Amino acid sequence: NYSWNCGVEGPVRKKKVLELRARQLRNAMLMLFLSQGTPVLLAGDEFGNSQNGNNNAYCQDNETSWLNWNLNKWDQDLLAFVKHLIAFRRAHPVFHMEQEPRVMDYLACGHPDISYHGVNAWQPEFENFRRQFGILYWGAYAKRPDGSDDANFYVAYNMHWEPHMFGLPHLPKGAKWRVICNTGDPDAADLLTDGTGKVPKNQMMLAVPPRGIVILESFAENS
């Protein structure tokens, strides 16, 4: 199994370990729900049920496989995050397009439907030792129910234990990026869907914390 205990095995009270585990759970949920395919959750994943590390407890009718519905605050926070993430995915068809992305500009709009990036924009790094990756979703390829284009999104993944700077793809004139989620920042880890995301001062570079995922949404400057 490719698993990691975040430095301590089993239950722990260390704040840093608990914060890292919570961050990694949010990272996993984001990677799942921002994927184009159908997200699949095992009951209990939405509030961090770990089965004490047992991933094959189907034959155990005991505390290992039972779900504890008496959620503490930590569990409730993750559950709320997953609920917001489900609503976010449903609201933005760019994350579940009707056809498989082609990674090309077949609408002749100046951008492919999906494009891949490294720490430098438009320069993806696919080496097996890389732990950083960026994906640009172009909203013109996905229509909302009212027929309007979806927003553009840039998702920066930094699974390294060190921070990294990401070069951001340019937006059309009059549009800017705003951060709507940053799992590496406890104050910005929740998914913002009300247009209140923080606008980076530098629209060309983005600092992504260690083991963090940052979601940027485009918006019109005068909106």
Side-chain angles (χ1 to χ4, degrees), residues 26-40:
R26 281 172 166 76
N27 288 340
M29 291 299 174
L30 278 175
M31 285 189 280
L32 174 65
F33 279 94
L34 299 186
S35 300
Q36 290 292 315
T38 303
V40 178

Side-chain angles (χ1 to χ4, degrees), residues 93-152:
V94 76
F95 293 110
H96 50 96
M97 298 181 190
E98 294 183 358
Q99 60 181 4
E100 182 179 352
R102 303 185 197 175
V103 198
M104 61 184 295
D105 182 9
Y106 57 87
L107 293 182
C109 63
H111 288 81
D113 48 5
I114 283 180
S115 55
Y116 302 120
H117 307 259
V119 292
N120 294 313
W122 303 105
Q123 297 180 30
E125 300 163 311
F126 296 120
E127 296 89 349
N128 61 3
F129 59 86
R130 298 290 183 184
R131 292 182 171 86
Q132 308 85 39
F133 201 60
I135 305 178
L136 175 63
Y137 301 83
W138 205 252
Y141 293 88
K143 301 295 182 182
R144 297 187 176 105
D146 62 3
S148 63
D149 292 348
D150 202 351
N152 307 313

